Structure formats: C-alpha cells, structure tokens
Amino acid sequence: MSIPSDRNELATLVTSLRRHLQRQERVGIRFLFPGEALQTNVVMADGENLLSGTEGDLFSDSSATYKAKTLEELREAIGDCRRCKLWSGRTHLVFGVGNPKAKLMFIGEGPGRDEDLQGEPFVGRAGQLLTDIITKGMGFKREDVYIANVVKCRPPENRNPEPDEVASCEPFLKKQIDLVRPEIIIALGKFAVQTLLQSKVPITKLRGNWHSYHGIKLMPTFHPAYLLRNPGDKKLVWEDIKKVIKEMNGENA
Ligand code: URA
C-alpha cells in the first residue's frame, strides 16, 4: 500500500480502517495481537472444551455473553444484536424456545418469515411439520425439547446464512448448547449439519448415522422444509427419528 499523499486520502484510510476494525469486532475479534486475548474455558461433561479458544475470539462483548449462567442471561447479553448485517432486516431476533433442561435439542438453519414475525423458531409450515415429528412421532410436547437455529436473525429471501453471519452467531448457539446440555442433538438440514460438524460431506451421506458434537450425540436428518418439497423422503427422517427414540429409551446400550 502506498503512503497517503494528502489529508483527504489519509482521512479515507482512517475511515476504512475504523470500519474494518468495527467489522472485526462485530464478529468477535477484539484483539490485534492474539497474545493479548484472555484464555477462558467451558468444559463439557466429558472433559472436552466446547468453547475452545479465547474469549476474544468468541465474544465481541465478552464477559456478559460468555459468563451467562442461564438462557435468560444469555438472551439478555445478546441484547439488540448488531454484530452482523442480518440485524437490519429483522423484525425479531429468534433466540430459541423450550425446556432449558431438555434431553433433546433440535437445531435448524435460521428463522424464516413466520419465525421472524413471531420471534419463535419453527412456527411456519416447516415448523408445523417439525411439531408433528416431536408430538405425533416422538410422543413429546414441543415444550419438552429445546429448539434453536444456527443464526438468530432471518437471512433476506431465506438465503443461506453467510460465513460472517455464522461466525457472529455460532458462539451463542454453542453457549445455548452448553447451558441446555442435551443428551442428543437432532441437526435439521444440510446447513445446520455441515456447520455443526464442520463438514462438507453431503447430508444424504451424513443423515441417519450418529455423530459427536463435542461429546454430545448428534443425529443429522433432513430439514422439514425439504420434506415439504420431497414428501417421499419422510420415511427416511422417520428412520432417523426412530434411532433417536431408541437411544433415548436406552435400547441401543
Ligand atoms: N427453518 C429453520 O431452519 N429454522 C426455523 O426456525 C424455521 C425454518
């Protein structure tokens, strides 16, 4: 980069640098020098460090989010979030819903139009199908399980969340999982599955098999929205759900 030749150029450069640092801060990078970051741990029951890394890497507003001891405290710490660009199009931030001590947690991609309007995950047509899976298929009430998404604000036109949006929001999902500590996660659809498993393997290959998310059993399956378009694959999801029911009943021991 050349040295700025006049005051205007210098001002432009300072503005761009400030914007860049603000963007970095919004995705959780508060330190120019990694050595200055504060080392912190959240250790799962099996000894694995769920939030490995540094506080500075994970939380732009650090301690309040990081130290939250309940889902309510976490929600409060997230606040009127503007850590990524999705805030500008949202009606509601869709945090999550259900039993804070649920044994079973469902994780989807991100809110759609209905969820954005109502502030609750999986309440539209796909949500109705998920509710049927939970209630009619598994015999639970919706309030027995916990439901969340990878990103908490609706991506425009329901596009996939972009990497910076996931980077901003994923720490909150990790913290939600850490607070609920479910025995089993059902990851819904390609996006949630590939994000949680950090994998590019197609969902058709991942679904139906047990995986581990930091020591928590994870079952990938198709997204209910996909099932609305491909009802013929409902039987595959039912096979996956039956495996989860067996596991929860201790029948796989
Ligand atoms: N699709 C998702 O992935 N999540 C929702 O909450 C609704 C639709």
Side-chain angles (χ1 to χ4, degrees):
M1 189 195 294
S2 59
I3 295 173
S5 56
D6 63 30
R7 287 172 64 89
N8 283 347
E9 205 180 335
L10 186 61
T12 310
L13 197 63
V14 169
T15 305
S16 331
L17 180 61
R18 186 179 292 130
R19 286 211 185 108
H20 172 73
L21 291 173
Q22 281 166 346
R23 272 197 302 273
Q24 297 283 96
E25 189 172 34
R26 279 201 293 275
V27 300
I29 300 163
R30 288 184 304 144
F31 301 95
L32 288 174
F33 307 106
E36 290 178 14
L38 178 65
Q39 284 289 338
T40 46
N41 292 317
V42 170
V43 180
M44 296 298 284
D46 68 350
E48 191 164 354
N49 192 335
L50 181 54
L51 296 178
S52 60
T54 60
E55 185 174 350
D57 287 340
L58 289 164
F59 298 114
S60 55
D61 58 358
S62 78
S63 331
T65 310
Y66 191 77
K67 287 181 184 152
K69 298 237 174 331
T70 62
L71 291 166
E72 289 77 23
E73 281 177 22
L74 176 61
R75 176 63 192 91
E76 206 173 306
I78 294 172
D80 180 26
C81 185
R82 295 183 178 200
R83 294 168 182 83
C84 83
K85 55 192 177 301
L86 292 181
W87 75 270
S88 61
R90 73 167 177 241
T91 312
H92 289 106
L93 185 152
V94 181
F95 176 67
V97 73
N99 179 353
K101 294 275 160 264
K103 289 192 163 65
L104 180 60
M105 183 161 178
F106 289 86
I107 300 177
E109 175 176 328
R113 191 175 61 93
D114 295 303
E115 291 75 21
D116 173 63
L117 291 173
Q118 295 184 44
E120 182 169 330
F122 284 100
V123 290
R125 275 184 72 223
Q128 185 52 54
L129 185 51
L130 178 63
T131 304
D132 286 347
I133 292 170
I134 295 167
T135 56
K136 299 180 188 158
M138 307 188 85
F140 294 126
K141 295 196 202 93
R142 212 174 125 99
E143 311 83 81
D144 293 335
V145 303
Y146 195 83
I147 308 174
N149 283 306
V150 174
V151 296
K152 313 293 185 218
C153 297
R154 182 191 183 200
E157 312 301 327
N158 296 344
R159 64 155 167 76
N160 278 348
E162 291 174 354
D164 61 311
E165 296 156 2
V166 175
S168 301
C169 226
E170 206 185 0
F172 306 135
L173 176 63
K174 284 184 171 173
K175 185 75 187 182
Q176 272 176 311
I177 297 170
D178 183 50
L179 289 168
V180 176
R181 297 208 174 209
E183 284 169 14
I184 294 176
I185 292 171
I186 299 185
L188 299 165
K190 170 185 150 137
F191 187 85
V193 170
Q194 292 187 340
T195 302
L196 289 167
L197 295 180
Q198 297 281 292
S199 168
K200 291 262 174 271
V201 176
I203 178 135
T204 45
K205 294 230 158 36
L206 294 170
R207 63 145 282 277
N209 296 309
W210 287 108
H211 300 260
S212 172
Y213 180 79
H214 300 277
I216 300 172
K217 293 180 201 100
L218 183 147
M219 175 59 73
T221 196
F222 290 129
H223 194 285
Y226 167 86
L227 293 183
L228 292 174
R229 299 189 301 272
N230 300 276
D233 280 348
K234 281 185 186 173
K235 57 184 179 301
L236 296 178
V237 170
W238 180 231
E239 280 172 20
D240 305 344
I241 295 295
K242 278 194 291 190
K243 287 184 188 171
V244 172
I245 296 171
K246 272 191 165 182
E247 186 68 35
M248 293 185 83
N249 290 338
E251 289 168 31
N252 287 341

